[in-house]
Amino acid sequence: MKHTGTAVLDAPADRVDLENWLFTLSDAEYQACARGHRAAGTFVQNGVRGTVNVEAIGGHLIVQHYQEVSAKPSRVEMLSKRSRVYLFHLVPATIQVRWTMSATARDAETSEFRCTVELTMSPLLRALGALSLLGVAIRAHTLEETKLFGDDIVRKIGTSRSSSAGA
């Protein structure tokens, strides 16, 4: 199951720093970027950065422990090998989630932000997910968070421009 959202950022690609944005995203900022976002935090384990994200999507609770696969200003890839999904907030199961974000130039003043969420799960979970419309819910969630992540990125670029202009 793989879903991608896109958003146009009113900022040039060379001003977008997804690596810095993700690893400085506060819990409150994360929660503001989608109705289903419940909590988030960052950590470093064995020298590898990571994030913990808690989401309620389509009646299911999902807890992801992402570890950095690669990170640079224009592209970040995170992998949660053993995310816990609680179907209907009750039945625990394990899935793998890959989360990739990228920013590419559209023109001198705008860029395209892409957010892709890819879930790998057992055949039984795929069947249960289909019955519960999990794929539809995750697609809608990905589209919502992509737009709001993009808005947060642009807001922070504007804030940094304002503070550097006043310095």
Side-chain angles (χ1 to χ4, degrees):
M1 184 182 309
K2 184 176 181 178
H3 299 286
T4 300
T6 61
V8 175
L9 305 183
D10 288 328
D14 64 352
R15 295 275 300 153
V16 175
D17 186 342
L18 298 176
E19 177 181 13
N20 182 62
W21 173 79
L22 178 61
F23 291 107
T24 61
L25 187 66
S26 74
D27 181 47
E29 291 165 337
Y30 176 78
Q31 290 177 36
C33 287
R35 287 183 302 265
H37 287 177
R38 298 295 181 250
T42 60
F43 64 88
V44 176
Q45 184 176 358
N46 299 325
V48 177
R49 293 181 294 184
T51 66
V52 175
N53 298 4
V54 180
E55 304 175 308
I57 303 173
H60 311 290
L61 183 67
I62 304 173
V63 180
Q64 299 131 355
H65 289 86
Y66 288 108
Q67 289 191 309
E68 174 185 353
V69 174
S70 64
K72 54 187 178 179
S74 63
R75 186 176 187 282
V76 174
E77 181 178 345
M78 305 294 288
L79 179 64
S80 178
K81 293 180 181 178
R82 297 188 49 81
S83 291
R84 294 296 285 178
V85 60
Y86 295 86
L87 299 172
F88 307 109
H89 290 259
L90 297 171
V91 181
T94 301
I95 62 174
Q96 178 176 291
V97 183
R98 184 175 305 277
W99 179 27
T100 308
M101 294 177 286
S102 64
T104 56
R106 286 176 37 106
D107 56 42
E109 295 300 317
T110 64
S111 50
E112 180 179 88
F113 173 60
R114 295 178 65 85
C115 182
T116 300
V117 177
E118 182 177 0
L119 287 77
T120 304
M121 58 188 85
S122 71
L124 175 61
L125 280 178
R126 276 197 307 273
L128 290 172
L131 288 173
S132 68
L133 301 176
L134 180 61
V136 172
I138 289 178
R139 181 180 191 286
H141 177 82
T142 302
L143 295 175
E144 176 188 23
E145 75 179 0
T146 299
K147 158 98 175 73
L148 295 173
F149 282 159
D151 291 348
D152 190 61
I153 292 165
V154 170
R155 180 184 60 78
K156 289 177 178 173
I157 290 170
T159 301
S160 70
R161 279 186 184 159
S162 299
S163 56
S164 63

